[in-house]
Amino acid sequence: MRYLIVPFIIYILAKTEGVLSQDEISKERSPEFWRKNAQDDLLIKLSKTLNLNKAKNIILFLGDGMSNPTITAARIFKGQNEGFNGERDSLSFEKFPTVGLSKTYCVDSQVADSACSATAYLTGVKSNYQTIGVSAEVKLNDCLASKVEKNQVDSIAVWAQNNGLSTGIVTTTTVTNASPAGTYSHTPNRGFESDVYIRALNQSLEDCEDIAKQLIFRDPGKSFNVILGGGRKNFLPNSTTNGNRLDNLDLIKHWEDSKLNWKRSKIMSKKARTKYVTDRESLLNVDFRRTDYLLGLFNRGHLDYHLDSKSRQPTLKEMTEAAIKVLQKNNKGYFLFVEGGLIDKAHHVNMAYKALDETLEFSKAVQKAVDLTQENDTLIVVTADHAHVMSMAGYSDRGNPITGIAGQVSNIDKLPYMTLSYANGPSAGQHSNRGLRDDLRNVDNIGEKDFQYPSLVPLQYESHGGDDVTVFARGPWAHLFSGVIEQNNIPHFMAFAGCLGNGLTMCSNDYK
């Protein structure tokens, strides 16, 4: 019965800490309060002028699975954790001047996965479900078709490197996972992160090169200045404690050895300075001024959830700061891809509390990038690859804990229900018996980080949602990202602002 006590304490604390103070209630009852708020926001918008500068730097932040309900719930979660009125709080990127919506479907699927969506928002071409860096001519597992050059599509990372920019990827998942792989890989199956997975499907290693190997041996991956995330197992032979590779390759050693003879730049004869790190302390102690290439693999697989990491691994904010400090030494600028990948992983197991916490970590990373850059020359775009099926429902009073029970009981079975719940997932049936819902007031772990929120349809893993996702933009040509756009427009718009690629850019004679 512990649940009956904890939420009551939280609710009282929320009231005493100002979430719903009497002063706040009094202000909100006045029409003038809302009129003044609206006029203040109007003046802020009117003071903004279009930024038509060239984007020297471009940072794309990707909240994997960061649906609109996730953003709303995380905003409230943040405010309530800080003792404020959560509904009127904001995540860092919600303050960006431009907001739009992105259509996320694949060529062959109404609901996207992270592979086809990564191909869209990084290469500018829509593709098939579970394929990366290839056109829709390539079907799932068609290795031969993926080798055909005309079927391979390059990402904005390639366009940036062709213009002399530095490049990097940062993620809380494996660096070979679908989203970061979209910057450098061409594969008919997102699961081919290591050769062991290609062999498991009896595919030819000559026809299909695994994603980790592409990152280390092929451009643009081998030329990335920064690679930070998880997935150490995909780079080491299975003869080692942490490895799973069957080809006996040590890709980490190859990365280190390959940089020994690299020059720092085309005009400098000095050798490139490299650093490989495996834990948070080592990353924080890197001398970024004297590091040209930085590789950090902080776990065998995905990084731990922020709530479980116990400071062994760097935060997304810390990795973002490290990446920018390495990349910003290039006077020509840089392109950086940053993914908060564990939002998605938490949703897939119906753990909304962890998904919201990971969203807050993502917001902190965006704010760090804002703090380290200038709006006049750095375009920052924040978006998601796809939605999830978490919903926010009920008619709770203001200040009701967002991770708790909704404010009303069902008028059918007279039992309470959660504010947050899922359309499907592994928790289906967990909170019911023979079709009758359990009384959640008797559940003792609600509000804890590992609580699995109720879902309707039983699935091994909760599915993605097909709804549009939000795009937030700040910096040069940010206004291009307004309205409802196709997801594959995103890299084309970024390239226009930074004068990259072969399409129309602000530097093109055709545009001028």
Side-chain angles (χ1 to χ4, degrees), residues 493-509:
F493 292 178
M494 292 190 295
F496 177 91
C499 297
L500 307 176
N502 297 321
L504 184 67
T505 74
M506 66 157 292
C507 300
S508 304
N509 290 329

Side-chain angles (χ1 to χ4, degrees), residues 126-169:
K126 289 218 174 196
S127 64
N128 291 324
Y129 187 73
Q130 294 194 341
T131 65
I132 303 174
V134 290
S135 73
E137 294 290 338
V138 179
K139 302 295 184 181
L140 180 64
N141 293 327
D142 190 344
C143 289
L144 286 175
S146 71
K147 288 182 64 177
V148 178
E149 187 174 352
K150 69 176 183 178
N151 292 340
Q152 298 181 349
V153 288
D154 289 330
S155 78
I156 189 172
V158 175
W159 311 343
Q161 288 182 5
N162 289 342
N163 274 50
L165 276 63
S166 294
T167 49
I169 56 172

Side-chain angles (χ1 to χ4, degrees), residues 156-188:
I156 189 172
V158 175
W159 311 343
Q161 288 182 5
N162 289 342
N163 274 50
L165 276 63
S166 294
T167 49
I169 56 172
V170 171
T171 180
T172 50
T173 67
T174 62
V175 297
T176 49
N177 203 37
S179 301
T183 60
Y184 63 86
S185 177
H186 308 289
T187 180

Side-chain angles (χ1 to χ4, degrees), residues 344-365:
D344 173 82
K345 306 306 178 190
H347 275 320
H348 277 309
V349 289
N350 295 152
M351 290 185 181
Y353 192 105
K354 281 185 172 177
L356 301 189
D357 182 75
E358 291 296 326
T359 304
L360 298 192
E361 290 300 298
F362 180 75
S363 177
K364 293 174 187 176

Side-chain angles (χ1 to χ4, degrees), residues 246-311:
L246 299 178
D247 57 11
N248 205 36
L249 285 176
D250 184 335
L251 297 181
I252 297 172
K253 185 176 187 304
H254 180 85
W255 181 87
E256 293 177 308
D257 292 345
S258 69
K259 299 293 184 290
L260 292 177
N261 297 318
W262 282 32
K263 293 181 180 179
R264 197 175 303 172
S265 71
K266 292 181 180 179
I267 61 174
M268 297 178 66
S269 61
K270 293 183 178 179
K271 291 184 178 180
R273 301 160 295 186
T274 65
K275 189 71 176 178
Y276 169 58
V277 292
T278 60
D279 55 56
R280 178 174 182 263
E281 183 179 1
S282 298
L283 178 68
L284 298 182
N285 287 328
V286 170
D287 186 345
F288 303 114
R289 296 170 300 173
R290 293 178 172 82
T291 302
D292 302 305
Y293 294 92
L294 174 62
L295 172 63
L297 298 174
F298 304 105
N299 204 17
R300 187 174 185 272
H302 301 314
L303 269 60
D304 296 330
Y305 291 111
H306 164 251
L307 291 171
D308 297 336
S309 66
K310 300 178 181 178
S311 300

Side-chain angles (χ1 to χ4, degrees), residues 180-234:
T183 60
Y184 63 86
S185 177
H186 308 289
T187 180
N189 189 323
R190 59 175 290 180
F192 292 164
E193 296 187 50
S194 167
D195 70 317
V196 65
Y197 305 114
I198 299 177
R199 295 172 193 265
L201 288 183
N202 296 316
Q203 294 281 356
S204 167
L205 293 178
E206 292 184 2
D207 295 333
C208 261
E209 187 172 45
D210 67 82
I211 296 172
K213 195 172 178 182
Q214 290 184 49
L215 176 59
I216 300 302
F217 284 96
R218 308 287 182 192
D219 275 325
K222 71 176 185 180
S223 297
F224 283 166
N225 299 84
V226 176
I227 303 169
L228 299 176
R232 197 181 307 129
K233 64 182 179 181
N234 297 321

